Amino acid sequence: MAHLLIVELPGGNDVDIMRAAIERGDTFSFLTADLAHYQRQPLVSAVLEMAQRIITLPGFDYDEVQGEVLALHKRWPIEALLCLVDKRLLDAARLAQALGLPHIRPETARLLRDPAALHHHLAEQGLDHAEAAPATRAAMLSHPLQQLQLLRHGQLIGCDTFSVNGRHHLLGVNEKQSFAPPYASTASVAIRGGCFTPNQGQYAEIERFVFARLDALGFDWGAAHTELMLTEAGLRLVAVNGRLVGAKLPRLLSYALGYSVHEALVDVHLGQWPAATLAQDQARPTQVAVVRWLAAAHEGELRRVDLPEQATALFPGLRCVEMLKRSGDALRPPQENADRIGYVMVSAAMRVDAERVAERYLAASRIVMADEVLDPFDMAGAEPSWPSAAPGRLLQ
C-alpha cells in the first residue's frame, strides 16, 4: 500500500484518480489552493473525506507549499506525486524533485507551460516542422467525411503516452471531431467527440514524431497528452501537455485498453510499470472506444435532460453516461468545451458499431429548457431518467 500525494483535480471535479488509488488499496493526501471549491460539491467532498491528509494553502506560495509537503512526508512518507492539472505542473515537478520521486524535471515543466518557448526550443533542434505522413493518412482516414476534413482543415488527433525513465509508450490515438453549425459557430473550438484506438503497432510513424519531441523536451517520466494536426503536408505539432488527457477521457482510454489508465499512471509514478509489463498490456483484449458530447442548439436555461432507457439490445457496448450541467444552468451553443452538457461513451470491436450506438443514444436524448423549447436532438417518447446532479454511471 502506497501513500500518494495528489495535487488539485482536473476540471475541478474529477475524482477518478482518487477512486483509482482507493481501488488499488493505496492511501492519498490532497494538496489544493481552494478546498472550499471541492467541498461545495457533494460527490467530490465524499471522496475527499477518505484522504489521509488535506493541505490547503490559498496563496499556493511555493516555499510554504514545500514546507507543508516535506512535513507531511516526514510523518507519512510520500511514495508518488501525481498532478493532472496544467496550472500546477511546475510546482508538482519542483515538489517531486525535492522529495526524490519519479516525475518530469522542473525545466521540462517550464517548457510545457510556455508554448512559445516550447516551439522555439523544438525549432532550435530542427523539430518544429511538419513531417510527411502518407501511411498515417491512409490508415486513419476511413470514410469520405474524414477525408474532406483533412483536405480543408486537417484532422486533430490526441496521442496519449506513458514515459518511464526516458522510455516512451504510446497508449493509442484519439481522433477528435469538432462541433459544426448549427450547433456551433465557425469560431467554435469545442470538441463534439472522438474515437480512441489502442496502439497495436499501427502507429509507428506517429510514435517516431511524438517520441522525438518528448526526447527533445527532456520528458522522461509520467503521462503526456500530445495533440497533432494531420494535414496534407504531414504531421504538425499543436501542443504537448505534461499530464493525462482531461475531460474524463481517461475513462475512454480505460474502456478501450481493458485496464484502468489511472491505476497504471500510479504504477508509472511508483516506478512499477517496467518495460517487462508492456507486452502483457498489449496482449490484453482491446476495443475502440467512442465518446460523444451533448450540447444545446440555442441559448436558454436547462430544466432537465431526458435520457433513454439503457436497454442492452438498443445500446450494446454502452459504458458510461454522465451529465455535467445541472438544472438551472445557462446553456448556449458550444463555443468551448465548458458549454457541453454531458457525454456518452461506447466501446466495440469495430469503430463503426461504437459510433452508431453513441449517435443513436444522443438522438434518443432530449434537452428540456425552461421555456419548454426542445433542441433538435429530441425524440418523442424518451422517458426521463436523469437526476439533476447525476454522477457518471459506469456500466460494466
Side-chain angles (χ1 to χ4, degrees):
M1 183 171 69
H3 177 213
L4 318 176
L5 177 62
I6 298 172
V7 184
E8 302 290 7
L9 293 178
N13 62 2
D14 186 347
V15 295
D16 282 359
I17 186 65
M18 294 179 172
R19 288 174 174 157
I22 295 167
E23 286 291 322
R24 289 168 46 91
D26 296 330
T27 61
F28 68 90
S29 292
F30 184 54
L31 173 61
T32 178
D34 186 4
L35 181 60
H37 168 77
Y38 299 108
Q39 291 178 326
R40 286 192 292 267
Q41 305 174 73
L43 296 175
V44 177
S45 183
V47 178
L48 285 177
E49 290 179 0
M50 304 183 72
Q52 179 81 19
R53 169 84 188 282
I54 296 177
I55 300 175
T56 178
L57 296 168
F60 219 86
D61 174 77
Y62 179 76
D63 291 337
E64 188 177 4
V65 168
Q66 179 173 300
E68 290 286 339
V69 169
L70 291 178
L72 171 66
H73 180 62
K74 185 175 181 180
R75 184 172 183 183
W76 293 299
I78 299 168
E79 295 165 75
L81 187 152
L82 297 104
C83 177
L84 281 65
V85 177
D86 291 319
K87 183 178 180 179
R88 301 297 179 203
L89 183 61
L90 177 55
D91 294 316
R94 296 177 67 188
L95 288 171
Q97 187 175 71
L99 294 167
L101 298 176
H103 201 280
I104 59 170
R105 296 182 292 269
E107 51 268 33
T108 298
R110 286 190 183 92
L111 282 174
L112 296 179
R113 295 293 297 133
D114 186 344
L118 183 149
H119 284 279
H120 178 73
H121 179 81
L122 292 177
E124 288 185 325
Q125 301 187 50
L127 292 173
D128 194 23
H129 59 271
E131 293 184 5
T136 301
R137 289 199 300 273
M140 296 183 66
L141 301 179
S142 56
H143 50 74
L145 176 59
Q146 286 181 300
Q147 295 170 8
L148 181 63
Q149 287 172 347
L150 174 65
L151 290 172
R152 290 184 178 178
H153 308 292
Q155 173 67 54
L156 181 64
I157 61 176
C159 308
D160 293 285
T161 55
F162 282 165
S163 300
V164 177
N165 199 24
R167 179 170 181 176
H168 313 300
H169 176 62
L170 177 65
L171 301 180
V173 171
N174 182 27
E175 297 178 54
K176 302 184 180 184
Q177 178 188 107
S178 298
F179 281 97
Y183 299 103
S185 72
T186 55
S188 173
V189 295
I191 299 297
R192 180 177 181 267
C195 176
F196 179 83
T197 304
N199 178 25
Q200 295 180 312
Q202 74 273 42
Y203 296 124
E205 191 169 3
I206 290 176
E207 283 185 332
R208 287 192 296 269
F209 186 93
V210 173
F211 293 178
R213 282 144 185 83
L214 293 178
D215 288 339
L217 294 169
F219 196 104
D220 60 352
W221 217 298
H225 177 68
T226 303
E227 294 186 337
L228 308 177
M229 186 67 75
L230 181 60
T231 73
E232 284 292 344
L235 294 167
R236 287 190 178 274
L237 180 69
V238 176
V240 181
N241 304 286
R243 52 161 172 80
L244 202 59
V245 62
K248 303 295 180 75
L249 292 184
R251 293 182 181 181
L252 190 75
L253 273 60
S254 298
Y255 297 143
L257 293 167
Y259 61 88
S260 168
V261 169
H262 284 102
E263 291 190 32
L265 181 63
V266 174
D267 281 336
V268 167
H269 282 279
L270 289 171
Q272 297 175 355
W273 207 65
T277 67
L278 299 186
Q280 297 175 12
D281 291 339
Q282 291 176 329
R284 291 185 174 115
T286 62
Q287 295 186 313
V288 297
V290 166
V291 60
R292 288 293 183 270
W293 287 84
L294 188 66
H298 58 81
E299 294 185 357
E301 180 183 315
L302 177 64
R303 175 170 292 178
R304 70 179 187 273
V305 177
D306 293 346
L307 299 177
E309 292 297 324
Q310 296 169 352
T312 302
L314 292 176
F315 306 109
L318 185 66
R319 303 301 298 269
C320 181
V321 179
E322 183 174 18
M323 296 296 111
L324 303 177
K325 298 291 188 183
R326 302 182 181 186
S327 180
D329 284 351
L331 300 181
R332 67 171 183 172
Q335 305 306 305
E336 57 183 352
N337 287 340
D339 296 324
R340 302 178 300 187
I341 297 171
Y343 64 84
V344 56
M345 292 182 181
V346 179
S347 66
M350 300 293 293
R351 171 178 179 162
V352 64
D353 295 329
E355 290 181 328
R356 184 181 297 118
V357 170
E359 297 290 357
R360 188 162 62 237
Y361 191 90
L362 288 190
S365 304
R366 68 177 186 175
I367 304 165
V368 183
M369 311 288 265
D371 58 5
E372 294 293 342
V373 176
L374 307 181
D375 87 334
F377 287 124
D378 302 339
M379 175 171 282
E383 293 296 325
S385 59
W386 176 69
S388 61
R393 284 175 281 173
L394 308 182
L395 309 174
Q396 304 301 330

